[in-house]
Amino acid sequence: LIIAPHEIGKNRIQSIKDLFIDYHVVTYTEMENQDISEFQILILDTMGMLSKIYKYADYGYIGGAFGAGLHNILEAAVFGIPLFFGPKYQKFKEARDLVALEGAFSIQNEEELIQKITNMELLQDEYDKTCSICKTFVSRNIGAVDLICKHITKQLNS
């Protein structure tokens, strides 16, 4: 399990460690000269690592959608993994689209998350299909920046 908390202060990192007292936990900054395979949980206690870590994931839980917003889901979708997030995602087109395509799933609580992941673990075809949906979604939307820039330029020249 890799955890990338929004807040990385010492007190916050320690409170996360305390939640997993029965597991072997290491933070990114503690990993030097350690064998990562000895640990069950990695806590990222540095900024800027998350987008690089998703390539090692089998699943992605994206934070924020139980509050006011949703963190970036495309960083994870590009690696073709099933995505999960809370119920407040409607303001984000890519989230709405991926939920409709069944590449991402809005969950209400931890039990629902565990159930979805357990089902995918039991049904490899379901997992593979979900991964494919995310990869395809990203590849079909490549070039969006160019389209937006062309639109803005056209509007400015009108």
Side-chain angles (χ1 to χ4, degrees):
L1 176 65
I2 300 171
I3 301 172
H6 188 69
E7 298 173 25
I8 58 171
K10 288 185 181 203
N11 289 340
R12 179 64 179 139
I13 296 301
Q14 188 58 53
S15 70
I16 295 169
K17 283 181 167 183
D18 292 345
L19 291 172
F20 297 99
I21 199 151
D22 294 333
Y23 299 90
H24 292 96
V25 179
V26 66
T27 64
Y28 181 78
T29 58
E30 296 170 335
M31 280 184 10
E32 190 174 331
N33 300 322
Q34 298 210 43
D35 181 2
I36 189 67
S37 67
E38 294 179 15
F39 298 93
Q40 297 165 304
I41 299 174
L42 169 63
I43 301 172
L44 299 180
D45 58 344
T46 59
M47 299 299 278
M49 298 285 305
L50 187 57
S51 64
K52 297 166 187 69
I53 296 292
Y54 281 121
K55 69 181 173 184
Y56 301 108
D58 294 321
Y59 300 92
Y61 174 81
I62 313 300
F66 279 96
L70 175 63
H71 295 286
N72 188 328
I73 67 170
L74 295 177
E75 287 179 340
V78 74
F79 293 103
I81 57 173
L83 305 177
F84 303 91
F85 41 79
K88 297 181 180 180
Y89 66 91
Q90 290 76 16
K91 292 190 283 183
F92 303 90
K93 182 179 180 348
E94 65 275 12
R96 291 191 316 268
D97 291 350
L98 278 169
V99 167
L101 293 168
E102 297 184 345
F105 305 90
S106 171
I107 53 126
Q108 302 295 316
N109 53 49
E110 65 187 83
E111 290 83 16
E112 193 174 345
L113 175 64
I114 291 168
Q115 179 186 18
K116 290 271 190 195
I117 290 175
T118 300
N119 287 344
M120 285 190 191
E121 288 291 305
L122 295 172
L123 303 168
Q124 185 66 43
D125 289 346
E126 174 103 5
Y127 176 81
D128 293 343
K129 176 184 166 195
T130 304
C131 292
S132 179
I133 289 167
C134 287
K135 284 181 187 175
T136 301
F137 178 82
V138 171
S139 66
R140 286 188 178 160
N141 287 285
I142 289 175
V145 171
D146 291 335
L147 292 172
I148 292 167
C149 288
K150 286 178 186 176
H151 178 75
I152 291 171
T153 303
K154 182 179 174 184
Q155 293 300 314
L156 290 173
N157 292 332
S158 318

